[in-house]
Amino acid sequence: MNNTGNLRQIALKARKRLLDMHYRAKAGHLGGNLSCLDALITLHHAVMQPDDRFVLSKGHAAGALYVTLWSQGKLRDEALDSFCLDNTTLPGHPSGPGIPGLMFSTGSLGHGPSLSAGLAMAARHKGDGRRIYCLCSDGEWQEGACWEALIFAAHQRLDNLTILIDQNGLQGFGTTLEVISCNDLAPRLAAFGATVKMADGHDHSSILEAVSAGEKDKPLIVILDTVKGRGLHYENRLESHYLPLSEDAYTEACAKINAELLS
Amino acid sequence: MRNAFASAVIERCADPDHFFLTGDLGFMALENVRAALGPRFVNAGVAEQNMIGVAAGLAREGFKVFAYSIAPFCYARPFEQIRNDICLGRLPVCLVGNGGGYAYGYMGPTHHALEDCAAMTALGVRVLAPAFDDDIPAMLASFEGPTYLRLGYDCRPQGAALDAYAPWRLVLPGQNGILAALGPLAGVAWRALGQLDPSVRPAVWAVTELPLPSIPDEVLSAIDEDLPVIVIEEHLAAGGLGMQLAHALALRGKSMRRFVHHHAIGYPRERFGSQAFHRSLSGLDEQAILALINDKVIG
């Protein structure tokens, strides 16, 4: 088990690798990768057991998943260097057998909660004790299928299911507040029968505390308060959803991370 | 076919690696399945997208899963879940669509399934369209990857005997060409042509799987001899049996010079009715099939 100091170091290195990977590929979606990276590092290094399952419902955060797996030694540098290039095993939304532990191809929003509910039901039926973790975006909960899944998971009392929601407040073409008033998820989710906990999505201790607060017979949902594009020049701005990094922005961001690593 | 299906599922699900999900359908049909499967029978409620996602999750952990609903709610509503969650992973989920074609009759077009075979074969799903109740156990025994089972009504002549199941099966011999029928229409054609002399009628073949399995030699010989080839299907022309047969033959350098295709025509007059009503409009009932043979084959 890693302590939070270790987790911070791992996350910083992963963040730097993520920037490098996206910069080389001139790939976008950096904002939503950076908002969830700390949670992915926490989950994979300090929460999940070897047999637990993870479903990346917000498939556009594939880069964050790849560098997390890289930080565990499950993906090599050569693989990351091919990210979003021709003949890669690491496309912009995860698919295929080249990604260790990947259960499903994701990228169309709203699928992960149902898939995870199925995995949770299978685990319960087998009695193998494994837990299922699923990461969604906040805008993703505009998809009706998410609510279908939550109704099902609550009814089936799938208390081996944890759904994390990366609440960075920004989606493709506006804030979640202005697009469709998606700013008060917690009471809505609780009303559907889930245990809901809040956490600072960039604080490893806060995430650890929240994911351990599940209740018997209820799925657990952890809402992660996060910053889209955290640490970049377009932090918390819509541009971070789609735009790749310029050379200047990349150099500046790497310098900041290097300074943090030394501090 | 629901009762035959229920019996076959109970037998298949004696293997504990099977789950059965229903989208709140099965009243007076699936009660025995529910009793037999216990916790492996799950009513997922009126939420088909979730049901297919859950099915994919169970299948990913090694279970074989049946997911049951009225046909369009099974293949059309959760199309993307089928495409992404089941097909990309080649998972063993059998989508069971009750009421292929116009089988839900008066319930109206929202409950009909006229493009299901095309949609599913386009995704790489194996389509099983049983012609007769007896086909279902053999079909379920062969279920492995993504599968769509299209249930209808067994229309065979009363007391008629069947040969062992095969995806192309001769049900009524004839010497004047070929009539290939998708699923239950084989029984309709059998009834329509049974009284004709074998020397003047086409042989009736039940075709029950898509993509099209390899074409029997007898059928290829008839085509080579430029005998009539009639295809009937309760499915739109696009992507159905007729198109798949023509494509398969074209790839072999063959063509059907005397090809007649009767298929579902949708709702051209925006009038709705029973399955028999729609079959009649599409030229797919006994009377229309007999008239077709008299006109295009005998006459």
Side-chain angles (χ1 to χ4, degrees):
Chain A
M1 187 65 73
N2 284 282
N3 62 40
T4 53
N6 286 342
L7 290 174
R8 181 173 174 277
Q9 288 292 308
I10 295 168
L12 280 169
K13 288 175 185 169
R15 192 190 311 175
K16 189 176 175 191
R17 193 67 182 85
L18 178 76
L19 295 183
D20 177 61
M21 190 172 79
H22 275 249
Y23 176 67
R24 288 165 66 117
K26 304 207 179 316
H29 280 144
L30 257 173
N33 277 271
L34 288 166
S35 59
C36 68
L37 182 58
D38 290 320
L40 282 179
I41 293 292
T42 308
L43 268 188
H44 284 76
H45 283 271
V47 176
M48 289 174 60
Q49 300 300 306
D51 287 338
D52 287 347
R53 306 298 196 204
F54 176 74
V55 176
L56 184 71
S57 196
K58 51 172 291 184
H60 55 285
L65 176 62
Y66 300 156
V67 295
T68 300
L69 295 172
W70 167 83
S71 73
Q72 292 183 296
K74 294 177 179 174
L75 277 177
R76 298 167 64 89
D77 273 308
E78 300 81 58
L80 296 193
D81 288 345
S82 75
F83 171 65
C84 281
L85 302 179
D86 285 345
N87 204 33
T88 188
T89 55
L90 305 180
H93 298 84
S95 187
I99 304 162
L102 189 79
M103 305 296 289
F104 303 101
S105 300
T106 54
S108 178
L109 295 174
H111 288 232
S114 296
L115 295 166
S116 302
L119 295 174
M121 180 166 269
R124 186 174 66 186
H125 189 75
K126 291 180 176 180
D128 54 22
R130 68 169 51 118
R131 288 198 64 83
I132 318 301
Y133 295 90
C134 173
L135 178 67
C136 296
S137 74
D138 49 357
E140 184 171 5
W141 282 80
Q142 292 155 22
E143 296 277 7
C146 288
W147 299 94
E148 287 187 13
L150 181 54
I151 292 168
F152 179 85
H155 179 81
Q156 295 291 339
R157 301 178 180 182
L158 296 176
D159 57 10
N160 56 349
L161 171 63
T162 300
I163 297 174
L164 300 101
I165 300 177
D166 177 6
Q167 185 171 260
N168 59 38
L170 281 166
Q171 52 189 103
F173 200 22
T175 67
T176 53
L177 178 59
E178 66 194 8
V179 171
I180 199 160
S181 301
C182 196
N183 62 323
D184 54 352
L185 277 174
R188 301 187 199 190
L189 296 164
F192 274 66
T195 299
V196 182
K197 298 293 176 186
M198 307 297 295
D200 178 339
H202 300 298
D203 180 325
H204 304 291
S205 300
S206 178
I207 297 167
L208 287 170
E209 185 180 342
V211 297
S212 63
E215 295 179 276
K216 190 170 185 319
D217 291 340
K218 296 173 83 170
L220 172 63
I221 297 184
V222 175
I223 298 178
L224 303 163
D225 184 18
T226 62
V227 177
K228 196 157 187 170
R230 183 166 182 261
L232 298 182
H233 67 292
Y234 49 30
E235 173 181 293
N236 215 13
R237 284 166 41 197
L238 203 53
E239 289 88 333
S240 73
H241 187 82
Y242 288 120
L243 296 184
L245 286 176
S246 66
E247 183 176 353
D248 287 348
Y250 168 66
T251 305
E252 180 194 339
C254 288
K256 277 170 64 177
I257 296 171
N258 286 336
E260 282 191 69
L261 279 167
L262 292 172
S263 66
Chain B
M1 290 178 178
R2 286 199 311 173
N3 292 334
F5 168 71
S7 299
V9 158
I10 290 170
E11 185 181 339
R12 178 63 28 200
C13 293
D15 175 348
D17 286 343
H18 288 69
F19 260 80
F20 191 101
L21 308 181
T22 175
D24 202 32
L25 272 297
F27 177 65
M28 294 182 68
L30 298 182
E31 287 82 358
N32 289 342
V33 179
R34 181 173 58 192
L37 269 72
R40 292 183 288 125
F41 181 100
V42 179
N43 187 342
V46 192
E48 294 82 7
Q49 294 175 81
N50 178 64
M51 177 171 74
I52 300 305
V54 168
L58 288 163
R60 189 66 175 78
E61 295 290 9
F63 292 103
K64 284 187 162 183
V65 186
F66 294 97
Y68 177 94
S69 191
I70 296 173
F73 311 152
C74 189
Y75 76 87
R77 177 63 171 258
F79 184 82
E80 191 182 74
Q81 278 76 11
I82 298 169
R83 174 182 179 272
N84 292 2
D85 303 343
I86 293 172
C87 292
L88 286 176
R90 305 296 305 156
L91 294 175
V93 176
C94 181
L95 308 158
V96 185
N98 191 40
Y102 294 112
Y104 267 83
Y106 298 113
M107 294 295 107
T110 56
H111 284 51
H112 297 163
L114 304 183
E115 69 291 297
D116 49 346
C117 299
M120 292 297 96
T121 51
L123 293 184
V125 174
R126 180 180 177 222
V127 172
L128 304 173
F132 313 107
D133 290 348
D134 313 52
D135 299 352
I136 296 174
M139 287 176 161
L140 296 194
S142 69
F143 157 42
E144 287 181 345
T147 304
Y148 172 65
L149 179 64
R150 186 193 213 223
L151 297 179
Y153 296 103
D154 184 335
C155 299
R156 82 181 99 168
Q158 202 165 17
L162 287 169
D163 288 342
Y165 175 74
W168 276 89
R169 185 173 16 163
L170 180 65
V171 296
L172 183 68
Q175 290 146 30
N176 199 4
I178 298 293
L179 185 151
L182 181 66
L185 284 181
V188 178
W190 191 352
R191 285 207 310 252
L193 307 185
Q195 300 307 312
L196 295 179
D197 190 278
S199 63
V200 300
R201 73 188 178 207
V204 176
W205 290 77
V207 182
T208 46
E209 297 189 22
L210 294 172
L212 200 63
S214 65
I215 304 168
D217 289 342
E218 301 97 307
V219 175
L220 293 172
S221 297
I223 291 164
D224 287 340
E225 293 169 27
D226 287 341
L227 292 172
V229 178
I230 296 104
V231 170
I232 59 172
E233 56 185 321
E234 204 166 320
H235 186 278
L236 297 176
L241 171 61
M243 277 197 181
Q244 294 200 30
L245 176 61
H247 182 253
L249 291 170
L251 289 174
R252 301 170 74 127
K254 294 178 183 291
S255 64
M256 297 177 284
R257 295 179 196 281
R258 297 176 66 190
F259 177 55
V260 182
H261 191 193
H262 276 204
H263 53 80
I265 57 172
Y267 314 95
R269 290 186 284 161
E270 296 203 58
R271 294 288 187 273
F272 310 104
S274 64
Q275 183 177 34
F277 171 81
H278 288 291
R279 279 182 172 174
S280 173
L281 286 183
S282 298
L284 294 170
D285 62 359
E286 279 183 62
Q287 207 172 7
I289 293 167
L290 188 57
L292 164 68
I293 298 306
N294 279 323
D295 180 33
K296 302 286 187 185
V297 177
I298 300 174

